[in-house]
């Protein structure tokens, strides 16, 4: 969540707009939604990797341009992957969401990561078998995640520990229901 807290207001507004688009219209614009989701995941991943990159290459640590561009580049690389390969993309989104939750809330010990990995692989396999519902739920959860992070970054007085899960689950349910209702006749 640290990467969202460092964003400027205009970046947060763009983040909110992208999150709302993915939350409410993820299935209708699934190629774009996959691009956005993978960009957010890549940007987030590079945020986790930046301390390691900074330690390994001190020139990057001292250059603010690299500090700005490397997370964007990581986001774009994963976004291009997500745009091109739909089934792999959906499975990857489900796996990545499970692993993000695992690391953030249960720790990064090897046994925890192994259990999270197994659950992520099962979730990814199930998602690929039921494409439309899984796409709707995955895009709703990803959009809800982006919105939740942005809301906490804008409204710092909200107790994150108390409201994170209710907001994430509530927004995910709203987005999923909205997408199921509005895409009833789409295949």
């Amino acid at each position: 969540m640290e990467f969202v807290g460092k964003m400027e207001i205009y970046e947060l507004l763009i983040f909110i707009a992208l999150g709302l688009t993915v939350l409410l219209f993820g299935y209708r614009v699934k190629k774009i939604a996959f691009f956005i989701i993978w960009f957010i995941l890549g940007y987030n991943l590079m945020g986790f990797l930046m301390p390691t990159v900074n330690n390994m290459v001190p020139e990057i640590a001292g250059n603010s341009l690299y500090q700005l561009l490397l997370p964007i580049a990581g986001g774009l690389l994963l976004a291009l992957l997500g745009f091109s390969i739909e089934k792999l993309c959906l499975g990857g989104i489900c796996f990545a969401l499970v692993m993000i939750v695992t690391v953030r809330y249960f720790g990064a010990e090897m046994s925890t990561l192994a259990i999270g990995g197994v659950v992520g692989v099962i979730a990814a396999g199930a998602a690929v078998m039921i494409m439309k519902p899984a796409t709707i739920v995955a895009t709703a959860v990803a959009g809800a995640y982006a919105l939740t992070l942005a809301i906490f970054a804008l409204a710092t007085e909200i107790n994150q520990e108390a409201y994170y899960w209710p907001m994430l689950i509530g927004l995910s349910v709203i987005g999923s229901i909205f997408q199921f209702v509005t895409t009833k006749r789409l295949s």
Side-chain angles (χ1 to χ4, degrees), residues 8 10-11 39 43 46 50 60 63-74:
E8 299 291 330
Y10 75 92
E11 292 173 312
F39 179 83
Y43 192 91
M46 280 307 295
M50 283 308 288
I60 291 176
N63 190 326
S64 61
L65 182 63
Y66 283 135
Q67 295 296 313
L68 174 71
L69 291 180
L70 281 177
I72 293 170

Side-chain angles (χ1 to χ4, degrees), residues 33-34 37-38 41 88-98 138-139 142:
F34 287 161
I37 291 168
W38 279 97
L41 290 172
L88 178 65
C89 176
L90 179 62
I93 289 169
C94 292
F95 180 81
L97 288 172
V98 168
T139 57

Side-chain angles (χ1 to χ4, degrees), residues 30-31 34 38 81-95 123-132 134-135 138:
K30 68 180 154 185
K31 289 282 190 183
F34 287 161
W38 279 97
L81 170 72
F83 187 72
S84 60
I85 309 169
E86 191 171 299
K87 284 186 179 184
L88 178 65
C89 176
L90 179 62
I93 289 169
C94 292
F95 180 81
V128 171
M129 290 175 19
I130 52 171
M131 262 322 257
K132 181 180 179 181
T135 300

Side-chain angles (χ1 to χ4, degrees), residues 152-184:
F152 286 143
L154 286 173
T156 56
E157 66 278 355
I158 296 176
N159 183 349
Q160 293 183 16
E161 289 182 22
Y163 292 106
Y164 176 80
W165 287 107
M167 284 178 66
L168 181 66
I169 292 168
L171 287 169
S172 297
V173 168
I174 290 168
S176 294
I177 291 170
F178 182 85
Q179 286 191 59
F180 277 115
V181 169
T182 60
T183 62
K184 195 178 293 185

Side-chain angles (χ1 to χ4, degrees), residues 106-135:
F106 301 107
E109 293 79 35
M110 189 55 71
S111 60
T112 305
L113 290 176
I115 292 169
V118 169
V119 171
V121 167
I122 292 169
V128 171
M129 290 175 19
I130 52 171
M131 262 322 257
K132 181 180 179 181
T135 300

